[in-house]
Amino acid sequence: LPTRVLYARLMSLSELIVLLVITCNYSQRYNLISGFIQPIPTFKYLYLEVGQQRRRYGVITKREKKNYRHTFNSHQENIESSNGGKLRRPSKNVQRYSNNYLIQRIRNCMDLEELFELQHNAEINHFCISFFWGQVSSLIYNDLECQKVRDDPDILKPIVKLTLDSNDKLNNLRSLAIMAHSIAKISSRTKKTIVYSRDLWQLLEINIIEAAKTERIAPKDCANILFAFAKTNRKTDQLFSIMERHVLSNIDEFESRALTNTIWAYAKVRHKAPKLFNAISRKAIERIDTFNYQHIASTVVAYAKVGHSDPELFDAISNEAIKKINTFNSQNIANTVWAYAKVGHSSPELFDAISHKAIEKLDTFNSQGIANTVW
C-alpha cells in the first residue's frame, strides 16, 4: 500500500483505540491500560443483588483505610496545634462519621471470614459491637456459615472477648437488645453454646437491669430482650420483673408480634405475672385482626402453659383462627387444639374447622403433632 494510505489507516486505528480507552475508563467497569500490563484484570468491587438491596462486596482497600483514619488524624492534629499540644477526645461529628462508616462496612460483609477480617483491621468500638453481633446472626442463616460455627465455636471468641472488655461502656438499651437477640439466634441456629456464654449473658443481664432503671425501653427492644433470655432458658426474676413494669406502662405501643413474643417468653421461663397476662389479653383482643397463624398458636400455648384461663381472649382467638385456618400448618393446628384442651375452653366451631384442615394435612403431621391433636 502507498505510504499515505497506510498512514491514514494507522491514524484511524489509533483514534479508535483512544476512543475505546476513554469509554472504558469513563464507565469505571474496566481498566484497559492495566489490562495490557496484568494478564488477568482485577475488579475492585463485585456487586450482588440481595433481596431488594444492592450491596457492595469487597475487602477494605488501602485507600479506604487511609480515608477512615484521616478524619481522626486531621482532627487530632488541629486540636493539638491549637491547644498547646494537648489532645482531647474527637468531636461527636467525627465519632458519628467513624461509626456510620464502620456500621456500613459491617453490614456489607458477606461471610464470617470477611467480617472477622474487618474486626481485625478496623477499630470496632463499643457502639458498633451490637451491629457486629447482628451481622453474625444474619450470616449464620447461610448453611455454609452456620456449619463453620458448628465445627469451630471458638471462631466467635474475638467478638466475645471484645464484648466482655467493653463491659462498662455497653449501656445503650437498643444495642443491648440487639446483642441479646442476636446471640440467642446464633445459639438456636447452630445448636452450640457460645464461648464464655455464662459471662456474656451475665454482662447483658446486669447492664440491661441497670439501664432499665433509668431509661425507657422501646416495645420491640423489650420483647427482643425477653425472647432472647427465654429462648436460651435463662430465667432471671429481677430482669423479668423490671421488664414487666415496662411492658405494663407501654402496653398501648406493643404490636401483635411484640405481644406474642413477650407472653411466650414469660410462659417459657414460668415467671408468674398475672397482671401482665391480663393486660396483654385485653390488648390482644383489641388487635386480634392483626394476628397471623403463628401469633395465634403461640399466644394460646403461652396461656395454656401457665394455666391462665381467659375465656374472652380464647373466644376472640377462636373466631380469628377460623378465618385464617387455611394458613395454619400441622404444628400450628396441633399446638392450638392442645392449648384449648389444656385450659378446658370449648370451641366446637374452631374444632370442626381444625378437624377438616387436619385431614387435608394429615401426611405432614409427625408423631408428636398427632398425639397433641387427639389428646
Side-chain angles (χ1 to χ4, degrees):
L1 294 174
T3 305
R4 183 177 299 177
V5 176
L6 183 60
Y7 177 76
R9 290 186 178 181
L10 289 175
M11 287 299 295
S12 300
L13 182 60
S14 62
E15 290 175 359
L16 182 61
I17 293 175
V18 170
L19 181 61
L20 180 61
V21 171
I22 294 174
T23 303
C24 292
N25 286 333
Y26 181 77
S27 66
Q28 296 184 357
R29 291 186 178 180
Y30 307 100
N31 192 329
L32 192 59
I33 297 178
S34 63
F36 289 114
I37 301 174
Q38 301 177 359
I40 301 178
T42 58
F43 297 88
K44 184 176 181 181
Y45 298 114
L46 172 65
Y47 287 88
L48 297 176
E49 293 288 341
V50 181
Q52 295 180 351
Q53 298 178 350
R54 194 181 189 193
R55 303 175 62 185
R56 191 180 69 178
Y57 169 71
V59 298
I60 299 179
T61 63
K62 292 182 179 180
R63 181 183 295 276
E64 287 179 316
K65 287 183 182 179
K66 183 178 179 181
N67 292 339
Y68 163 66
R69 299 182 184 276
H70 172 72
T71 306
F72 281 105
N73 294 337
S74 60
H75 181 81
Q76 294 291 352
E77 290 174 359
N78 293 337
I79 291 180
E80 185 176 4
S81 60
S82 61
N83 198 34
K86 297 181 180 180
L87 292 178
R88 297 185 307 188
R89 293 178 62 187
S91 66
K92 291 184 179 180
N93 290 335
V94 175
Q95 291 178 353
R96 190 178 298 112
Y97 170 83
S98 171
N99 291 335
N100 291 340
Y101 177 82
L102 274 176
I103 291 169
Q104 190 59 42
R105 291 297 309 172
I106 292 171
R107 288 174 172 172
N108 286 346
C109 292
M110 301 297 289
D111 54 46
L112 292 175
E113 183 179 355
E114 183 185 358
L115 192 62
F116 292 126
E117 183 180 356
L118 173 62
Q119 181 193 355
H120 178 73
N121 294 331
E123 298 176 358
I124 306 294
N125 55 32
H126 66 280
F127 182 83
C128 300
I129 292 178
S130 61
F131 292 93
F132 200 99
W133 279 110
Q135 186 66 8
V136 173
S137 67
S138 298
L139 290 174
I140 62 164
Y141 278 91
N142 180 301
D143 293 338
L144 181 61
E145 301 302 315
C146 182
Q147 192 61 42
K148 291 180 182 179
V149 180
R150 288 174 180 169
D151 295 340
D152 183 18
D154 289 345
I155 193 175
L156 300 177
K157 187 177 291 185
I159 187 60
V160 173
K161 287 187 175 180
L162 178 60
T163 305
L164 295 176
D165 292 341
S166 305
N167 180 14
D168 56 335
K169 298 179 181 179
L170 297 173
N171 50 21
N172 181 273
L173 279 171
R174 171 59 61 83
S175 298
L176 291 168
I178 294 174
M179 290 170 54
H181 194 243
S182 301
I183 293 171
K185 289 198 296 184
I186 294 170
S187 299
S188 176
R189 171 69 174 165
T190 60
K191 310 297 182 184
K192 292 287 185 179
T193 302
I194 296 178
V195 291
Y196 306 125
S197 176
R198 183 177 179 181
D199 296 335
L200 197 58
W201 283 107
Q202 186 175 6
L203 177 153
L204 291 172
E205 177 186 348
I206 294 174
N207 289 11
I208 289 173
I209 291 174
E210 289 300 318
K213 291 179 180 179
T214 57
E215 297 182 29
R216 176 184 175 278
I217 308 179
K220 182 179 179 181
D221 296 334
C222 188
N224 285 342
I225 290 171
L226 292 168
F227 179 86
F229 277 82
K231 187 71 173 178
T232 53
N233 295 315
R234 300 187 180 276
K235 179 183 179 182
T236 58
D237 291 334
Q238 187 179 4
L239 175 66
F240 276 77
S241 297
I242 290 178
M243 290 294 116
E244 180 182 356
R245 293 198 294 269
H246 281 274
V247 174
L248 291 174
S249 61
N250 301 300
I251 190 68
D252 292 335
E253 300 179 18
F254 276 66
E255 298 178 354
S256 57
R257 183 175 182 179
L259 290 172
T260 303
N261 287 344
T262 299
I263 206 69
W264 176 88
Y266 278 87
K268 180 74 163 58
V269 299
R270 297 294 198 277
H271 185 90
K272 296 182 179 180
K275 292 182 179 180
L276 178 67
F277 275 74
N278 290 332
I280 288 182
S281 67
R282 291 192 297 270
K283 186 56 60 177
I285 292 172
E286 294 178 8
R287 300 184 174 177
I288 194 64
D289 59 326
T290 65
F291 277 53
N292 60 26
Y293 65 94
Q294 187 65 50
H295 299 156
I296 291 173
S298 298
T299 301
V300 293
V301 167
Y303 277 81
K305 278 186 176 181
V306 298
H308 189 101
S309 178
D310 193 316
E312 188 177 356
L313 173 64
F314 275 70
D315 285 339
I317 289 179
S318 175
N319 295 331
E320 192 66 22
I322 293 173
K323 298 177 184 177
K324 300 175 179 178
I325 194 65
N326 289 330
T327 63
F328 278 55
N329 58 31
S330 58
Q331 184 177 358
N332 301 140
I333 292 173
N335 290 344
T336 301
V337 295
W338 174 87
Y340 273 79
K342 181 71 175 177
V343 299
H345 187 88
S346 176
S347 181
E349 294 182 357
L350 174 62
F351 274 64
D352 287 342
I354 284 180
S355 64
H356 289 92
K357 197 63 182 178
I359 293 174
E360 295 178 7
K361 295 181 175 290
L362 191 59
D363 57 333
T364 64
F365 277 75
N366 56 26
S367 57
Q368 185 63 48
I370 294 175
N372 288 345
T373 303
V374 299
W375 179 80

